[in-house]
Amino acid sequence: MINETLKNYSKEQLIELIEGYCKNWLAMDGVWFQSVECKYGMDEAMEHDCAIWEKFTVIEAKRIKTFLNLPEHPGIEGLKQALKLRLYANINRDEIITEGNTLIYRTTECRVQTVHTQLLEGYYIVFSPLGLQLFQ
């Protein structure tokens, strides 16, 4: 363990810290996106966002798979376990429904959409291309 200080905290405090880390991660994602958008425009920002998420989701999936010690092809149950450990799982509300060989993953409350709704008094939807990258 690199950060020995973590051993001094309770389980509840560590969970709170993880939630804070996830919020920081999402804030960084938004800050860099806005920086690119301001300098180069929305289309350029979306292009880079999709490219980054395409790579990040693979990295995140591999680390979760290793953490859970899942086999090469873990099936629907392995996918269900892994989805519950994504960074987004700590800041968004979602539901996972399995029906036979089908898994339906639905975000029911998105932190980004909630913030955009509050700031812009309505939904700010530019997520379609990004959503495709997240789950391909």
Side-chain angles (χ1 to χ4, degrees):
M1 175 181 275
I2 293 172
N3 189 350
E4 294 291 328
T5 302
L6 295 174
K7 292 179 180 179
N8 298 326
Y9 294 94
S10 69
K11 178 181 176 180
E12 291 77 21
Q13 289 172 310
L14 292 171
I15 290 170
E16 184 179 343
L17 183 63
I18 289 169
E19 290 172 353
Y21 284 165
C22 291
K23 290 174 185 176
N24 289 344
W25 160 77
L26 187 59
M28 176 56 82
D29 178 59
V31 168
W32 86 258
F33 183 92
Q34 289 175 342
S35 176
V36 174
E37 180 187 12
C38 287
K39 187 162 185 173
Y40 301 105
M42 176 63 81
D43 290 342
E44 188 79 12
M46 284 300 296
E47 181 181 330
H48 289 282
D49 202 35
C50 287
I52 289 166
W53 278 101
E54 183 178 1
K55 288 179 175 45
F56 175 78
T57 54
V58 172
I59 293 166
E60 182 182 39
K62 285 180 181 178
R63 288 190 176 148
I64 292 170
K65 189 175 175 183
T66 298
F67 175 78
L68 292 173
N69 198 29
L70 294 173
E72 180 61 29
H73 302 286
I76 296 292
E77 284 306 311
L79 177 59
K80 187 175 179 179
Q81 285 180 301
L83 286 170
K84 292 177 181 180
L85 293 179
R86 294 184 67 227
L87 286 170
Y88 268 125
N90 296 296
I91 51 180
N92 289 343
R93 296 201 188 283
D94 57 29
E95 64 182 0
I96 300 172
I97 302 165
T98 52
E99 298 171 0
N101 287 334
T102 302
L103 182 143
I104 299 168
Y105 176 82
R106 184 179 299 132
T107 300
T108 58
E109 185 180 318
C110 173
R111 185 173 183 85
V112 173
Q113 285 284 22
T114 300
V115 169
H116 282 278
T117 301
Q118 292 168 351
L119 293 176
L120 303 173
E121 299 178 7
Y123 282 109
Y124 178 63
I125 301 176
V126 294
F127 300 112
S128 295
L130 180 56
L132 294 173
Q133 295 303 324
L134 291 175
F135 296 105
Q136 281 186 346

